[in-house]
Amino acid sequence: MTTIFARIARGELPADIVYQDELVTAFRDIHPLAPVHVLVVPNAVLATADDLTVDHEAVAGRMLRVAADIARREGIAERGYRLIINCNRDGGQEVPHLHLHLVGGRPLGPMLQRR
Ligand code: 5GP
């Protein structure tokens, strides 16, 4: 069982990798929605946020901390940014490998459209 993001983490597919360690890989989104748009993913296959268990606390914490480090390094931390995890169909998740979007570098507007 593999995914495009697991293959990027293993170096089997090209990506603009901005950070990697033994638990997570961070790379620029191929279709950026903001001046900074980085995806932080577990190196191991983990499909969705709904699959997180107590065994994933280290990797989930690492994803958050690495995103904050990258935001500081990209110079967007002080003005602010958004971290997004889409989960399953209603959440709009397209790639079935858990990923944290770090987006920023411009005002991002409201979190959700009112209906
Ligand atoms: P989702 O909608 O699943 O939360 O977000 C998936 C994101 O992955 C999208 O923003 C999409 O542009 C990005 N993406 C999909 N395939 C690739 C790829 O092969 N490489 C990179 N760098 N980003 C990808």
Side-chain angles (χ1 to χ4, degrees):
M1 163 76 181
T2 194
T3 64
I4 51 170
F5 289 173
R7 295 189 67 200
I8 286 173
R10 289 198 297 268
E12 295 170 7
L13 289 176
D16 186 355
I17 291 177
V18 296
Y19 177 84
Q20 186 162 47
D21 63 25
E22 81 285 7
L23 287 180
V24 304
T25 300
F27 50 92
R28 295 192 194 279
D29 196 290
I30 203 164
H31 298 303
L33 297 172
V36 175
H37 189 167
V38 170
L39 302 173
V40 186
V41 310
N43 295 337
V45 170
L46 179 64
T48 77
D50 187 49
D51 297 297
L52 286 165
T53 70
V54 68
D55 293 337
H56 301 113
E57 285 181 3
V59 72
R62 184 73 61 88
M63 287 169 69
L64 271 179
R65 201 265 296 157
V66 163
D69 285 350
I70 294 168
R72 280 190 291 273
R73 211 166 66 209
E74 296 278 326
I76 61 171
E78 195 171 323
R79 285 181 62 91
Y81 53 88
R82 190 168 290 160
L83 302 176
I84 303 166
I85 295 177
N86 296 322
C87 180
N88 285 335
R89 192 178 53 236
D90 279 5
Q93 181 175 1
E94 289 174 0
V95 177
H97 183 122
L98 178 65
H99 49 285
L100 177 64
H101 296 255
L102 162 64
V103 285
R106 65 168 171 80
L108 295 169
M111 185 175 68
L112 286 175
Q113 300 282 352
R114 289 197 185 277
R115 285 183 181 254

